[in-house]
Amino acid sequence: MATQGQVITCKAAVAWEPNKPLVIEDVQVAPPQAGEVRVKILFTALCHTDAYTWSGKDPEGLFPCILGHEAAGIVESVGEGVTEVQPGDHVIPCYQAECRECKFCKSGKTNLCGKVRSATGVGVMLSDHKSRFSVNGKPIYHFMGTSTFSQYTVVHDVSVAKIDPKAPLDKVCLLGCGVPTGLGAVWNTAKVEPGSIVAVFGLGTVGLAVAEGAKAAGASRIIGIDIDSKKYDVAKNFGVSEFVNPKDHDKPIQQVLVDLTDGGVDYSFECIGNVSVMRAALECCHKGWGTSVIVGVAASGQEISTRPFQLVTGRVWKGTAFGGFKSRSQVPWLVEKYLKKEIKVDEYITHNLTLGEINKAFDLMHEGGCLRCVLATDT
């Protein structure tokens, strides 16, 4: 392409400081260096993690930055040494890298990857510890190694999954974060078996994906827990078979669930990021074998607690990141499952806007009726 090796000026939504509206700016995007890929982002969705960092509560949050980590686009150019993708490839940027060479990748025990974390955690690229974004010469930090609220972004080659070009990018962008996180929490982290009783705390996108994954795994009962009873109607479509609103009960929610399930659930999933709910999710599990998976990200400095006896008597407390999926290897597989209609994606999209309407999109996300809002970047 004519832009290869050149600085590209494009539109991006810049977070100049915490809690202030994002500003659509003309941003200069430098060409990719060795081991890097420049991607033309066509569609990006909003996730609560973006809002968390934007709020200023994230200790790793750096400003000014370009947020966004759930997106899809087309490779514009690649840096030296990049062999697995080339210009024109359809891709999903992945905040969870997969280098296939580090101690983590080789362990066979985790999807976490250590190769670029030292750079992505501080908003820069690994090769020179600098940003590829600037506005009038002022550097703008990267976010989660993805920064998808921009018409063009630069990512590490270990953080980009090449996908089937037949897949609609305005839909499969969701496979960059929330949907795989929920499905994988069930399939990879908990390994839910047929006949299991499952409790899902928080019926947003991730919680609904947990329910969908549990239904596919053959769970016999899927109990949704949320303080917004309006969410049950939608949740039924994703496999939730029963609903409990903690506000309708005087007893602690864990006791309500233990009573409902003859001693507790087999698996529970906390999809909110609230440490008191994490405790309830563990304590509603069945003695002897119940497993609770923490999926939601709690605010910085928060701590979890329970009585050790809960674990001594056989309950297991686990956590998951990106649902345990290895990004470059398995996101393409998830795209294929979507194309075969084996997993839902379209059903999570409640709103479609443009990048220029991003502040409105954040407002929608906080109002509760929005699952995923997809932004087209052609503002």
Side-chain angles (χ1 to χ4, degrees), residues 108-126:
K109 296 179 177 181
T110 180
N111 66 325
L112 302 179
C113 169
K115 182 167 183 186
V116 296
R117 184 75 180 87
S118 62
T120 58
V122 291
V124 295
M125 300 302 286
L126 186 65

Side-chain angles (χ1 to χ4, degrees), residues 46 78 97 101 289 299:
L46 275 67
V78 300
E101 296 166 355
W289 63 77

Side-chain angles (χ1 to χ4, degrees), residues 190-248:
K191 297 183 169 65
V192 170
E193 309 97 346
S196 301
I197 301 174
V198 171
V200 186
F201 290 79
L203 297 177
T205 297
V206 175
L208 294 177
V210 164
E212 184 191 348
K215 183 180 180 183
S220 61
R221 296 172 68 185
I222 302 170
I223 306 166
I225 301 102
D226 202 289
I227 56 172
D228 181 356
S229 296
K230 293 195 295 289
K231 291 187 177 178
Y232 184 34
D233 279 344
V234 172
K236 289 176 188 172
N237 301 327
F238 292 85
V240 172
S241 56
E242 302 163 54
F243 179 81
V244 180
N245 187 332
K247 290 181 172 179
D248 296 341

Side-chain angles (χ1 to χ4, degrees), residues 170-187:
D170 61 330
K171 303 293 193 288
V172 295
C173 57
L174 266 61
L175 297 176
C177 180
V179 173
T181 297
L183 294 175
V186 176
W187 298 343

Side-chain angles (χ1 to χ4, degrees), residues 300-312:
S300 167
Q302 301 270 298
E303 296 182 350
I304 50 172
S305 62
T306 190
R307 292 183 303 119
F309 196 66
Q310 293 284 333
L311 303 183
V312 170

Side-chain angles (χ1 to χ4, degrees), residues 1 37-38 75 94 104 132 195 233 247 249 297 299 360:
M1 296 171 85
V37 179
R38 188 159 61 181
V75 174
C94 300
F104 292 94
R132 301 291 171 261
D233 279 344
K247 290 181 172 179
H249 299 270
V297 177
K360 178 183 173 186

Side-chain angles (χ1 to χ4, degrees), residues 273-336:
N274 180 314
V275 292
S276 62
V277 178
M278 291 173 189
R279 178 172 190 158
L282 175 78
E283 295 179 358
C284 78
C285 286
H286 202 288
K287 182 177 175 179
W289 63 77
T291 295
S292 185
V293 181
I294 295 174
V295 190
V297 177
S300 167
Q302 301 270 298
E303 296 182 350
I304 50 172
S305 62
T306 190
R307 292 183 303 119
F309 196 66
Q310 293 284 333
L311 303 183
V312 170
T313 50
R315 295 170 191 83
V316 177
W317 220 347
K318 302 176 95 168
T320 189
F322 197 54
F325 282 117
K326 284 185 170 282
S327 55
R328 290 198 295 155
S329 304
Q330 292 183 289
V331 167
W333 174 76
L334 287 167
V335 169
E336 294 305 318

Side-chain angles (χ1 to χ4, degrees), residues 15-28:
W16 285 104
E17 49 188 312
N19 265 329
K20 295 287 171 68
L22 304 185
V23 181
I24 302 296
E25 302 277 10
D26 287 316
V27 173
Q28 285 73 51

